[in-house]
Amino acid sequence: MKRYCLALDLIDDPALIAEYEHWHKKENTWPEITESIKDAGIVSMQIYRTGNRLFMIMDTADDFDFDIKAAMDADNPKVQEWEELMWKFQQPLPWAEPGEKWVLMDKIFRLG
């Protein structure tokens, strides 16, 4: 199993942040989105927030590939609809590449 950690910022607006969290409650998340996540080989996903910064932890199958996931998402109209809705709340990190949303973080410490 592989673990990836990613970061992204939300627009720093309390109403938008509350709405973003609303869409991420279990009862409001679209089933097609959770299905597409699992189909890509993501076994577990968690998102944490502090202020307007998001931190995502993904545990994946050993053969998980970001490029394959991106291609699957590009071919899935429901995922594209979800991403368009989420972009209302999100903004790229200052050092993100053009068009990049979630930025892969580098592990700099490990205990154990």
Side-chain angles (χ1 to χ4, degrees):
M1 184 151 337
K2 295 179 184 176
R3 173 167 283 174
Y4 298 98
C5 297
L6 301 101
L8 173 70
D9 283 348
L10 295 174
I11 296 170
D12 198 6
D13 176 293
L16 288 175
I17 290 171
E19 189 176 349
Y20 183 86
E21 288 189 356
H22 163 83
W23 285 112
H24 285 80
K25 290 182 181 174
K26 189 172 184 166
E27 64 270 18
N28 299 325
T29 303
W30 300 353
E32 300 92 345
I33 302 309
T34 55
E35 181 179 325
S36 75
I37 290 168
K38 292 175 185 176
D39 288 349
I42 300 169
V43 177
S44 173
M45 178 185 284
Q46 300 171 27
I47 300 175
Y48 295 84
R49 181 181 67 81
T50 181
N52 70 318
R53 174 96 8 118
L54 299 176
F55 172 60
M56 178 193 297
I57 302 170
M58 289 182 0
D59 293 319
T60 72
D62 287 334
D63 61 350
F64 175 79
D65 184 293
F66 280 103
D67 292 332
I68 293 172
K69 169 81 168 101
M72 291 171 66
D73 289 350
D75 288 339
N76 186 325
K78 201 65 174 177
V79 170
Q80 293 305 306
E81 183 181 349
W82 174 263
E83 289 299 327
E84 185 176 334
L85 174 61
M86 292 303 106
W87 196 239
K88 169 184 172 183
F89 313 105
Q90 300 167 334
Q91 62 183 355
L93 294 170
W95 51 88
E97 297 293 327
E100 185 178 30
K101 282 183 153 190
W102 289 95
V103 175
L104 192 59
M105 299 176 77
D106 296 321
K107 184 190 320 182
I108 62 166
F109 176 78
R110 180 182 178 138
L111 178 67

